[in-house]
Amino acid sequence: MITVNDVSLRFSDRQLFKDVNIKFTPGNCYGLIGANGAGKSTFLKILSGEIQPTTGSVTLGPNERLATLKQNHFDYEELTILETVIMGHERLYEIMKEKDAIYMKEDFTEEDGIKAAELEGEFAELGGWEAEVEASQLLQGLNIPDSVHQNLMSTLTAGEKVKVLLAQALFGKPDVLLLDEPTNGLDVASIDWLEEFLINFENTVIVVSHDRHFLNKVCTHMADLDFSKIQLYVGNYDFWLESSQLAQRLQQDQNSKKEEKIKELQEFIARFSANASKSKQATSRKKMLDKITLDDIQPSSRRYPFIKFNANREIGNDLLQVDDLSVSIDGEKILDHISFTLNKDDKVAFLGKNDMVTTALFKVLTGEITPDSGTVRWGVTTSQSYLPKDSTAMFSGDESILDWLRQFAEKEEDDNTFLRGFLGRMLFSGDEVLKSVNVLSGGEKVRVMLSKLMLLKANVLLLDDPTNHLDLESITALNDGLIDFKGSVLFASHDHQFIQTVANRIIYLSAYGVVDRAETTYDEFRENPTVKEQMANIQAQEK
């Protein structure tokens, strides 16, 4: 259990939290949600003790241990993978190192023997004899095979290091577990495994995530950070969203009735206040009017961008034909003899063993790279717009957002008033449109790129991990915009709900074949027996 008492935090002239009182109890998973900049990650750092609050305190239960998901993937380069995981339980790891140091002494004394015996007792109490087995099981659950557990961390890819640090946080059954974006960089199988782990976890979990499906699956409560306060709600993310919207409507309806009553009283007073025979009644109504106050409906600080894609023309019968496509990256075969044909109404989610597979495909489809062999043929009526996974190179200049976007506007749209209004709907208001593009955050870059795509009015959108860097509100707006889009969408994503609600066709790509299912949802694809068999055969070869 972790208890927050009267916590406030102020940075210079900005109040992030004010008098926060909340208790997180065992057996529950709390999803910490709030608008970008509300302070979710900062609040986790206060809970972990990394940041001290301006006022108030955070306390753990007696003898309880707290674990966090570390973010620096390069801190453990010279350690073995297994040792890095066990380091998640600091006291246990200290005992292991201290024991080893004593046993390695050449002049082992009686005092050393007594100390070693004490350490052995504590080691056993902390589950030390099972430590390596537990660490290995966690790693294997996250698809880090047993054969590499004694390798150095420096031998792993960035994605694999993320998994090891996640295993480190989960190791040793911490009493309180703090997870900041734990699904970032994880493949689908690892996310599934983590969901099941957290569902069965008996202690306290507090998690920040932009993955709505993940929050729905694992959370028992939502902790809503807004207006410097945190309000607890029972239920998962969808339940919180629906109930909070309902509560706001009910409050608005109630105030609407009060407004009608006030209007009625005002009309009565106006008509009869000058009439001597009814002056007492008018005075009474005036007192009633003075006592009625509208409840403060404080609008949420959350802001949703307006995302709507309009195609410049309809797609004809032909969308895209890919024949016998092979692609190698740095000598490694990524795609091999891949063929598929897309139809004009397709909204396709492309999946792969890792992001390299889908990114390579998009780069071939957009002409950014040349394949080893094969052909790509777009329909003559198609026009394509592309949102790359990494758009940093497109924002290297020092021009303003306004001027950067101007180059993609049609002649009738090329004026400051239109572009400022357009950017305002994408949450760039006032002088924010004059900010240099080379200082934009990851989320701002994606919103600017989406603005560009909306101006281009292409009838085919190619989106490589478009929800990356976006907050929940922007993801929701993009999600809805793509559902309503009348053209075709080709995209890659790790967001389960995004894939489930946008795609009507799923294609899994690898160097060992294609699994292609049309007229299906993501959940149907995952549960289809034939697909499971095909996927198992391909994934066995991929290993």
Side-chain angles (χ1 to χ4, degrees):
M1 180 172 69
I2 187 166
T3 305
V4 179
N5 294 303
D6 295 324
V7 162
S8 300
L9 182 67
R10 176 179 287 278
F11 289 126
S12 61
D13 61 343
R14 186 185 177 201
Q15 182 94 41
L16 261 187
F17 314 116
K18 183 178 180 182
D19 302 329
V20 174
N21 291 279
I22 193 169
K23 185 179 291 185
F24 301 101
T25 56
N28 293 317
C29 179
Y30 299 86
L32 182 60
I33 56 175
N36 260 7
K40 299 183 291 294
S41 295
T42 302
F43 188 72
L44 288 189
K45 290 178 180 178
I46 289 176
L47 295 181
S48 69
E50 187 177 340
I51 293 177
Q52 292 301 311
T54 307
T55 63
S57 62
V58 175
T59 56
L60 282 172
N63 302 314
E64 289 191 342
R65 185 173 70 87
L66 180 146
T68 64
L69 174 58
K70 303 291 193 302
Q71 301 296 325
N72 191 340
H73 306 154
F74 301 99
D75 280 353
Y76 309 92
E77 295 292 270
E78 300 308 314
L79 298 174
T80 68
I81 295 167
L82 201 67
E83 185 178 7
T84 302
V85 174
I86 295 174
M87 285 180 72
H89 194 316
E90 292 182 11
R91 179 54 188 158
L92 177 61
Y93 184 70
E94 287 173 3
I95 292 171
M96 292 173 65
K97 303 304 286 185
E98 195 172 350
K99 279 199 316 162
D100 290 345
I102 291 174
Y103 289 139
M104 289 177 66
K105 282 186 174 182
E106 293 183 3
D107 53 343
F108 191 84
T109 65
E110 183 179 349
E111 185 179 339
D112 289 330
I114 294 172
K115 181 62 176 177
E118 292 174 353
L119 291 172
E120 290 289 4
E122 189 176 357
F123 179 75
E125 288 178 4
L126 295 176
W129 297 113
E130 297 82 33
E132 289 194 3
V133 172
E134 181 191 344
S136 179
Q137 289 173 341
L138 290 170
L139 289 167
Q140 290 180 67
L142 290 164
N143 293 322
I144 303 292
D146 181 68
S147 58
V148 304
H149 291 180
Q150 295 301 329
N151 293 353
L152 295 181
M153 285 286 287
S154 57
T155 64
L156 298 180
T157 65
E160 289 168 336
K161 289 175 184 176
V162 170
K163 293 181 180 182
V164 175
L165 294 189
L166 179 56
Q168 181 191 76
L170 304 179
F171 174 75
K173 301 178 180 65
D175 300 286
V176 177
L177 180 58
L178 307 181
L179 301 175
D180 194 353
E181 297 291 356
T183 62
N184 277 4
L186 294 189
D187 53 76
V188 172
S190 297
I191 293 174
D192 289 344
W193 179 89
L194 178 60
E195 288 173 352
E196 289 304 313
F197 182 94
L198 294 179
I199 287 169
N200 295 309
F201 190 70
E202 297 177 349
N203 296 331
T204 305
V205 182
I206 305 169
V207 59
V208 172
S209 177
H210 290 153
D211 188 326
R212 296 162 295 171
H213 180 269
F214 180 76
L215 292 175
N216 283 328
K217 196 81 179 287
V218 305
C219 290
T220 60
H221 295 71
M222 303 309 297
D224 182 27
L225 173 54
D226 207 0
F227 299 107
S228 304
K229 300 284 188 179
I230 296 180
Q231 180 70 42
L232 271 187
Y233 297 85
V234 177
N236 61 16
Y237 178 76
D238 278 352
F239 187 83
W240 165 81
L241 184 62
E242 185 175 342
S243 60
S244 62
Q245 290 175 341
L246 176 61
Q248 188 175 38
R249 287 197 300 270
L250 289 175
Q251 192 175 26
Q252 288 170 339
D253 289 344
Q254 183 180 14
N255 281 339
S256 176
K257 292 175 182 177
K258 287 186 178 182
E259 287 173 336
E260 291 175 6
K261 187 66 174 176
I262 289 173
K263 184 177 180 180
E264 176 187 331
L265 292 172
Q266 288 172 333
E267 289 174 352
F268 181 89
I269 292 166
R271 287 199 308 270
F272 298 107
S273 59
N275 188 321
S277 64
K278 294 188 178 182
S279 60
K280 288 183 180 181
Q281 192 177 4
T283 301
S284 174
R285 293 290 179 98
K286 178 69 165 66
K287 290 179 180 179
M288 290 173 60
L289 176 65
D290 290 339
K291 290 178 181 178
I292 294 179
T293 58
L294 290 176
D295 292 336
D296 288 332
I297 301 180
Q298 196 171 22
S300 171
S301 65
R302 291 168 171 79
R303 297 191 300 163
Y304 290 81
F306 178 79
I307 299 178
K308 183 176 178 60
F309 299 102
N310 292 307
N312 50 12
R313 62 182 296 185
E314 288 188 13
I315 300 172
N317 293 328
D318 299 322
L319 175 59
L320 173 67
Q321 186 169 337
V322 173
D323 289 317
D324 201 31
L325 190 70
S326 295
V327 180
S328 298
I329 304 291
D330 297 328
E332 179 185 354
K333 185 72 73 173
I334 302 298
L335 299 171
D336 196 23
H337 301 296
I338 300 298
S339 297
F340 57 83
T341 300
L342 302 187
N343 304 311
K344 64 177 183 178
D345 296 323
D346 283 342
K347 292 183 178 179
V348 188
F350 288 97
L351 312 178
K353 179 184 178 182
N354 53 48
D355 293 348
M356 188 182 297
V357 174
T358 48
T359 295
L361 174 70
F362 285 123
K363 287 184 176 181
V364 170
L365 296 183
T366 57
E368 189 173 328
I369 63 174
T370 302
D372 301 341
S373 61
T375 59
V376 171
R377 186 167 67 251
W378 288 100
V380 294
T381 60
T382 64
S383 54
Q384 302 89 39
S385 290
Y386 176 42
L387 173 63
K389 186 178 183 67
D390 182 4
S391 58
T392 303
M394 303 186 70
F395 297 101
S396 58
D398 59 0
E399 66 265 46
S400 68
I401 300 173
L402 190 68
D403 289 336
W404 187 92
L405 193 62
R406 192 189 310 277
Q407 62 185 310
F408 304 106
E410 295 178 357
K411 187 174 181 180
E412 61 271 19
E413 300 169 339
D414 184 12
D415 67 78
N416 286 348
T417 301
F418 173 83
L419 291 174
R420 278 181 174 273
F422 192 87
L423 285 167
R425 292 187 297 175
M426 291 300 288
L427 309 185
F428 296 101
S429 57
D431 289 342
E432 288 182 332
V433 303
L434 303 179
K435 185 188 295 187
S436 295
V437 293
N438 56 16
V439 299
L440 296 179
S441 68
E444 288 172 330
K445 287 176 184 175
V446 175
R447 281 190 279 123
V448 172
M449 286 295 295
L450 291 172
S451 300
K452 168 190 169 183
L453 266 58
M454 284 188 280
L455 286 178
L456 291 177
K457 299 182 179 67
N459 53 25
V460 182
L461 301 176
L462 296 97
L463 312 174
D464 191 358
D465 204 1
T467 63
N468 195 22
H469 300 300
L470 293 181
D471 58 20
L472 283 168
E473 291 70 45
S474 296
I475 291 172
T476 300
L478 175 59
N479 202 152
D480 293 342
L482 292 177
I483 291 171
D484 293 339
F485 181 50
K486 303 306 180 185
S488 291
V489 185
L490 285 61
F491 70 99
S493 177
H494 296 282
D495 188 314
H496 185 117
Q497 188 168 338
F498 192 81
I499 300 172
Q500 172 69 12
T501 53
V502 174
N504 58 21
R505 182 172 177 178
I506 312 292
I507 298 180
Y508 184 91
L509 299 167
S510 83
Y512 302 96
V514 174
V515 181
D516 184 354
R517 300 289 292 190
E519 301 300 325
T520 189
T521 67
Y522 186 41
D523 286 340
E524 290 168 349
F525 178 87
R526 284 160 54 91
E527 295 303 319
N528 185 287
T530 303
V531 169
K532 285 184 176 181
E533 183 178 350
Q534 292 174 314
M535 290 289 290
N537 290 334
I538 288 178
Q539 289 170 350
Q541 297 178 78
E542 288 178 329
K543 290 181 180 180

